[in-house]
Amino acid sequence: MNLRLTVILPCSYLLTMPRANKLARVPENFHPYRRGPAPQQHPVPPSSTAPTPAPPHVELPNPAPIPSPSPAVDPPTLSPPGLSSRPSSQPQYFHAREMFHNAQSFTINHPQFIDTSHAGSGLKELLKYSMPNAFHDSGARYPPPKCHLGTRTNYIDLITNWALGTSDRKEPILWMHGPFGIGKSAVAQSCAEALERMKKLAATLFFSRSNSDRDDPQRVFTSIAYQIATKYPSFREIIDRRMIEDPALATKSLSIQFEVLLVQPLRQIDVARSGLAECVVIIDGLDECRGTGGQCEIIKIIAASAHNRTTPFRWFITSRPEDPIIRTMNSPAVYPARSRMELPVSRAIDHEILVYLTNEFKAVREDHGLPESWPSEEALTLLVERGAGLWIYVWTIVRFVKDETSLGPEDQLRVVLEFAKEVSAKVGPDNPLMEMDLFYTLITQRIPLKIRTTVQKILLLCSTSTRDPECIADTLRLSAEQFRHACASIKSVMELKGSDLKSMHINFYHTSFLDFMKDPQRSKDLCIYGDFLIGCRRELLEWLHKACSHSTDSEYIAFSSGTTLLKGLLDVHPHDNILLWFWELCEVREHPFDSQTAWSLVELPFVKMLRLVDRYNGWQISGGGVRDNLPAELCDKIIRKGRCPIPGCMNTKDVWILGHGENEAVPQQMGDGCHFVLKDNQGLSNSKCVCGAPKQADSNEGQQTDIEDTGAEDTDIEDTDVEDTDIEDTDVEDTDVEDINTEDTDDND
């Protein structure tokens, strides 16, 4: 009897075996997945053909005890023989001990013994370096934007025919470009779902500049490799093993990632038999990937692979027609491998927009029991006209009308129609961006006046510092309920998920809204940059002076008593985020300090300021970015580079120095020479300077001799929070804004 057997066992002992050994007859009670105590040696019964002697046992030092057999354990499913090593004259090792004791009259040819003690752990490691929220079927994007039934069929057919190799376009890269809001993501999503049904979809990535977990260029090829591994077992086994052997592969440069996670594994499998040949990888919104350098490098790596045929894929890429991407796509290294397609703003799709609006309003009408005559044909005609071929405009209108916490869809549609009639004379037929701006203006003007400043501050924090709701609420001294009510007022453009501050997540439907809010020419008095940003910076600087003035000595900072955290805040260091935000606002380009504010910054006691921050955490601040916004005559009094003034410091490089005279302080430095670290750097060992460099071993000098010693006692100092009145407009009344549960959608570009 000849058997071809793949045995999967955990690693405990090693037994050597030649390629083909005749073993003893298998007893009736033999179970290959159960191990018992080491049996006694028995002589091999005589037979007509002398069997090959069994090899000697080879045991590891200090072997672990072997558990007794369990009659209730079922054998595991055998893995396919995809990881067998090449035949060799050397003995092959497998993990077992006396598996075939007393077995007779059968032969094992080419045995394969696979250690699965870490099976799957490599793939889990790869997932950590991927962007699962950017996959086409991710729950974070549900429901994703996709083409309404019967719309964009010409584009979808063209792309799927190219993917199947049945069109005139033979290039392995298809690039579709068009302006924002035209529906590129919807087309890409519809194509992804169609190709998945045809089993021709290898991987997808839908970038979003509004979401930090969907814009990282370093996670592009790891995400693609992960998705392919989940669909194709032969590829999965190779990737899993490689990531176990070297988890740092996912942190390599983009070109190395592409080579070791895609090119090399694909060489080891039969691509044609695996089903991977001519499968499609979809990368949507490449312009929303962080950094133009990363965008262009991704294109070049893919084009080189397509030219050299190192991967079997077709690549469908969408983006806005931005200059760096256009130049790269038209470069000699990329041009021969790509075909291009434009998705323009066109009134030719008015009938498709009408179909979409008719169906969406029909669903609203049925849900709310409205008459058949709602909405009127006149209303639909006006909305199609104002849409001007821009899908994001009509999508935003539908979300606005569906707002369940409003006075109802009839009232919401009335507001939209009045707005559309009012702006008809202001907007030219070929200016859809202006139309979108006017609709954004309508949304922001409807924010209640009592909380408008708070909402602007939330948006400014999202734009300059963080999109973490917990950090934003802490910085503005808002409770979870106050934060939720403030965000509800911009529900048409922003989604807030989660029940509490720790679990909350912000998602902007489209980056065009923050772009609008940052441009004073577009958002005018509602703008979060310009005068509003400068005013926030002054306000935070006043808070800094107040915080430092409550210091009772040079080491401890105390705040006025009676200040309590608002309900729902989970902050441990209540001043960290405020201080960080101030310095990040100081870096924002084209927003220089006026002379009065700059002088106020000159007078700040920087040593005390640094002690407001947790010493175990720190944030990088661009020293050059701050200097660029300061008046030239005051730059050196606020921030400069020079030799570290701390006695005994052995730093040979120039460091960033804050303040001057008695207010001077040296923050911890970053190795790049461009940034310093905003953190408390006091209390270091005597061998280190506050700048982070070593100190002379025999130096007995203090770490900063110019710190003012007030001599106050530190026993009764209470580290409390800043008064809520220090930052205006944070006392949000729950009755001002209704609590809105947003509809799950994704960016519609």
Side-chain angles (χ1 to χ4, degrees), residues 175 177 299 323-336 338 340:
W175 172 42
H177 59 85
I299 296 172
D323 286 343
I325 295 178
I326 292 174
R327 287 195 300 270
T328 305
M329 286 291 188
N330 291 336
S331 66
V334 179
Y335 177 80
R338 68 106 182 111
R340 67 185 291 176

Side-chain angles (χ1 to χ4, degrees), residues 291-321:
T292 56
Q295 298 167 13
C296 297
E297 186 178 2
I298 290 167
I299 296 172
K300 292 174 182 177
I301 291 172
I302 291 172
S305 173
H307 176 75
N308 298 322
R309 298 184 179 181
T310 58
T311 54
F313 307 123
R314 292 176 178 267
W315 303 83
F316 177 45
I317 301 173
T318 78
S319 76
R320 298 186 198 182

Side-chain angles (χ1 to χ4, degrees), residues 317-562:
I317 301 173
T318 78
S319 76
R320 298 186 198 182
E322 297 189 351
D323 286 343
I325 295 178
I326 292 174
R327 287 195 300 270
T328 305
M329 286 291 188
N330 291 336
S331 66
V334 179
Y335 177 80
R338 68 106 182 111
S339 177
R340 67 185 291 176
M341 159 195 320
E342 183 180 4
L343 195 64
V345 177
S346 172
R347 299 302 299 267
I349 65 167
D350 278 2
H351 67 286
E352 296 184 359
I353 290 178
L354 177 60
V355 169
Y356 169 75
L357 288 174
T358 300
N359 291 343
E360 289 294 320
F361 285 143
K362 178 183 177 182
V364 173
R365 181 173 65 242
E366 292 174 350
D367 288 344
H368 292 267
L370 300 176
E372 288 287 332
S373 58
W374 185 91
S376 66
E377 289 187 11
E378 179 186 0
L380 289 173
T381 301
L382 180 61
L383 293 180
V384 171
E385 178 68 23
R386 301 320 313 146
L390 200 65
W391 277 103
I392 190 174
Y393 181 79
V394 292
W395 282 326
T396 306
I397 284 175
V398 169
R399 277 200 303 268
F400 186 84
V401 172
K402 285 183 174 181
D403 184 351
E404 295 181 357
T405 60
S406 65
L407 297 178
E410 290 179 294
D411 184 70
Q412 291 291 91
L413 182 59
R414 177 187 57 77
V415 172
V416 169
L417 294 175
E418 289 178 357
F419 162 77
K421 293 174 183 177
E422 191 175 300
V423 302
S424 293
K426 301 179 183 179
V427 181
D430 300 322
N431 194 348
L433 181 62
M434 180 63 72
E435 182 74 35
M436 201 67 224
D437 286 357
L438 289 169
F439 194 72
Y440 283 154
T441 301
L442 170 67
I443 292 171
T444 52
Q445 284 177 342
R446 288 173 63 83
I447 300 172
L449 289 175
K450 288 185 178 181
I451 62 167
R452 184 173 294 178
T453 302
T454 299
V455 173
Q456 286 177 286
K457 288 179 178 179
I458 290 173
L459 295 175
L460 182 58
L461 273 159
C462 287
S463 174
T464 59
S465 182
T466 178
R467 291 184 183 174
D468 179 5
E470 187 177 9
C471 290
I472 295 173
D474 173 80
T475 303
L476 299 180
R477 321 316 301 150
L478 298 174
S479 69
E481 200 61 27
Q482 289 173 328
F483 181 76
R484 187 192 309 279
H485 281 297
C487 290
S489 65
I490 50 174
K491 182 252 183 187
S492 296
V493 292
M494 188 189 83
E495 177 185 40
L496 182 66
K497 290 183 177 180
S499 57
D500 53 38
L501 289 174
K502 279 193 174 297
S503 65
M504 283 182 187
H505 175 74
I506 288 175
N507 172 46
F508 289 95
Y509 292 122
H510 202 276
T511 54
S512 60
F513 177 67
L514 280 182
D515 293 341
F516 164 80
M517 292 300 296
K518 292 189 291 186
D519 189 343
Q521 297 299 318
R522 297 168 64 188
S523 50
K524 297 181 173 55
D525 59 333
L526 295 169
C527 181
I528 59 175
Y529 271 27
D531 291 342
F532 186 81
L533 183 150
I534 293 171
C536 285
R537 194 162 58 195
R538 289 175 184 166
E539 184 181 324
L540 293 171
L541 183 56
E542 290 177 9
W543 174 86
L544 270 176
H545 276 285
K546 182 182 294 186
C548 292
S549 69
H550 283 95
S551 171
T552 55
D553 66 16
S554 60
E555 289 193 38
Y556 296 92
I557 302 294
F559 299 97
S560 56
S561 59

